Amino acid sequence: MTLKPVGSFFRSAGQFIFWFRKFFLAVPVIVVAVILAKQNLAELPDYVGIILAKTGSYSIMVPRIQAVQWPLYITGGSLLLMCFSRKVFYPWLISVVTLVIPVLIRLLNVYF
């Protein structure tokens, strides 16, 4: 019994993953972004404060739907840039970092 068929299977599976790496990297980011958007839509108040002033009040208030949609747009834009980029890692890393935005909005408006 030889291991040649097993090696060729792993080689072809590795090539498949390499050629579709943008898709495999983007899907988890999209899923997490949608989950965070649903959580923010359920938990945020009707008007959300964006910029916290020195007095403790918010200087800019936006409707909840905008506070949910804009982080989705930013994450989607960085994933779109990843699709058109030759280097995949840095735009993907930026899209992962943009997932912090909905968490920060929720922390500033619900818990503080």
Side-chain angles (χ1 to χ4, degrees), residues 2 22 27 39 50 72 78 81 90 92 111:
T2 64
K22 292 179 183 180
V27 168
Q39 287 176 352
I50 298 297
L72 277 176
S78 60
L81 289 174
Y90 293 119
W92 175 78
Y111 300 113

Side-chain angles (χ1 to χ4, degrees), residues 47-105:
Y47 283 93
V48 176
I50 298 297
I51 298 176
L52 190 62
K54 290 181 181 179
T55 60
S57 63
Y58 294 105
S59 58
I60 296 178
M61 299 289 283
V62 296
R64 172 180 39 203
I65 193 71
Q66 284 183 355
V68 171
Q69 286 178 345
W70 279 103
L72 277 176
Y73 294 153
I74 293 169
T75 303
S78 60
L79 286 174
L80 188 67
L81 289 174
M82 181 189 79
C83 291
F84 293 114
S85 176
R86 295 182 111 190
K87 304 279 183 177
V88 177
F89 181 71
Y90 293 119
W92 175 78
L93 189 62
I94 291 169
S95 69
V96 170
V97 170
T98 61
L99 293 176
V100 174
I101 297 171
V103 175
L104 288 177
I105 289 174

Side-chain angles (χ1 to χ4, degrees), residues 7-59:
S8 67
F9 168 75
F10 282 119
R11 187 177 313 110
S12 64
Q15 287 175 346
F16 177 79
I17 291 171
F18 180 77
W19 286 109
F20 293 103
R21 67 186 179 273
K22 292 179 183 180
F23 175 77
F24 289 125
L25 288 173
V27 168
V29 174
I30 293 170
V31 169
V32 170
V34 169
I35 290 171
L36 288 173
K38 285 183 180 181
Q39 287 176 352
N40 275 355
L41 196 58
E43 292 183 16
L44 287 176
D46 290 335
Y47 283 93
V48 176
I50 298 297
I51 298 176
L52 190 62
K54 290 181 181 179
T55 60
S57 63
Y58 294 105
S59 58

